Amino acid sequence: MAGNSSEIFALFGNPVGHSLSPLMHNATFKRMKIDANYIPFCVRNLEDAVRGIRGLDIRGVSITLPFKTTVMPYLDEVDESSLRIGAVNTILNDGKGCLKGYNTDWIGLICDLKESLETRGKTFGILGAGGAAKAAVFGILKEGGIPIILNRTIEKGQKMARDFGCRFYPLSEIGNIEADCLINTTPVGMVPDPGKSPVLRESLVHFRWVMDIIYNPLMTKLLRDAEEVGCTVLSGVGMFVHQGAEQIKIWTGVEPPRSFMKQVVLERLKERD
Ligand code: ATR
């Protein structure tokens, strides 16, 4: 590489202060003996920030809220999965300033689910109809699972169900839904509001597995309730680590040490608990 003494990677979001990606990625680069720095940026102007990737020869960028969809028009290319999901969480700079967008959220979710269950033929209740829900539904369909969307706002859930060709129910009907696994993609239960759950505990008896994509706190109210009624629970930390590992694979072409990454993140989260 021409100018920078070490390679630069970045996180673009607003806010970014609480993200664990800098901790995880910097520790992982060090462990992999890659001379690189991963820097969080609180973005004020997205178009200018994306121009800065080329101008500063930043090699790869993670995109987080609220830019996962709005970043897409500024990229030179977007892969097929991101187009279908309508969101990009990873940018690769090919070194000549050509920026390609990817989505590793869906792969992260699938990698984590597959550590606990066989997805093929299983039914999945998906809480929410935003970008994270789309990544989950896309991944589950790709792996031969059957998603059922549950959302508070009916029109939004119905539209998403039409787009992906799956079933939809209003969130208020969750008590009547049966599926193998329930996945929460809403922000309900995340710090600073960890006392909340998107659903009543009684409705969880209809699921064998319950996953929350929230990883802070590690055990959300939803997961604590689910454990109490006998479900097997999956916290969001696994998905977070796998989506980050897939980013490193895209940026470097090398498989990173995933269990080390998980250990780094878990240690920090346990300090916060
Ligand atoms: P993301 O892109 O991270 O998934 P989003 O697009 O804001 O975020 O989507 C968040 C989802 O969580 C939405 O489906 C939202 O439901 P609505 O479509 O009804 O807005 C859901 N959500 C957010 N707060 C919620 C709450 N208090 N109860 C139920 N669902 C909620």
Side-chain angles (χ1 to χ4, degrees):
M1 73 162 307
N4 296 326
S5 57
S6 57
E7 307 232 328
I8 307 292
F9 295 87
L11 169 67
F12 286 1
N14 189 350
V16 287
H18 289 286
S19 171
L20 292 183
S21 294
L23 170 83
M24 178 173 75
H25 282 320
N26 282 317
T28 308
F29 285 139
K30 196 168 171 197
R31 177 86 169 202
M32 294 170 80
K33 299 193 168 32
I34 294 173
D35 185 12
N37 275 303
Y38 180 96
I39 305 164
F41 290 97
C42 185
V43 170
R44 301 266 156 70
N45 181 307
L46 182 62
E47 189 173 4
D48 288 346
V50 173
R51 253 191 232 118
I53 302 174
R54 300 186 185 92
L56 299 170
D57 195 27
I58 295 172
R59 306 314 300 265
V61 179
S62 311
I63 303 292
T64 188
L65 300 177
F67 301 123
K68 289 186 182 188
T69 299
T70 47
V71 76
M72 294 173 77
Y74 302 126
L75 304 178
D76 301 300
E77 237 183 289
V78 167
D79 83 341
E80 225 180 286
S81 312
S82 310
L83 272 181
R84 188 90 180 90
I85 295 165
V88 154
N89 77 327
T90 310
I91 298 173
L92 173 70
N93 180 351
D94 73 352
K96 297 180 198 111
C98 177
L99 306 183
K100 183 165 179 182
Y102 299 85
N103 187 305
T104 69
D105 286 331
W106 74 270
I107 315 175
L109 180 117
I110 292 299
C111 284
D112 191 55
L113 274 179
K114 282 183 146 182
E115 285 178 12
S116 299
L117 60 132
E118 164 63 46
T119 43
R120 194 157 296 278
K122 296 261 186 339
T123 44
F124 294 84
I126 309 292
L127 298 178
K134 286 182 188 140
V137 167
F138 175 84
I140 286 161
L141 285 169
K142 212 170 165 72
E143 292 298 317
I146 303 148
I148 304 163
I149 298 165
L150 294 144
N151 198 48
R152 178 180 60 180
T153 306
I154 293 176
E155 307 75 55
K156 196 167 155 190
Q158 279 174 333
K159 180 178 183 318
M160 186 179 152
R162 267 198 311 275
D163 289 347
F164 283 94
C166 52
R167 275 185 289 161
F168 165 78
Y169 295 93
L171 183 56
S172 53
E173 282 184 38
I174 186 158
N176 306 317
I177 306 297
E178 282 196 16
D180 294 300
C181 177
L182 181 71
I183 303 178
N184 175 42
T185 76
T186 80
V188 183
M190 193 165 14
V191 287
D193 236 343
K196 289 194 178 153
S197 169
V199 295
L200 291 174
R201 182 171 45 192
E202 299 83 88
S203 36
L204 298 173
V205 294
H206 302 298
F207 305 95
R208 174 154 173 217
W209 291 274
V210 175
M211 178 189 208
D212 204 327
I213 72 163
I214 294 170
Y215 61 85
N216 194 10
L218 264 178
M219 278 300 277
T220 55
K221 167 104 170 58
L222 171 72
L223 294 187
R224 281 187 276 122
D225 286 349
E227 219 170 44
E228 274 176 35
V229 299
C231 309
T232 303
V233 301
L234 284 76
S235 91
V237 77
M239 173 179 170
F240 176 68
V241 165
H242 285 300
Q243 64 78 33
E246 295 293 330
Q247 294 187 321
I248 291 187
K249 247 168 73 177
I250 288 171
W251 295 331
T252 68
V254 181
E255 170 64 27
R258 294 182 191 231
S259 46
F260 168 79
M261 294 171 77
K262 191 165 186 176
Q263 189 190 322
V264 169
V265 175
L266 280 177
E267 268 169 27
R268 177 58 60 89
L269 285 171
K270 281 178 185 155
E271 276 168 26
R272 283 182 185 177
D273 264 1

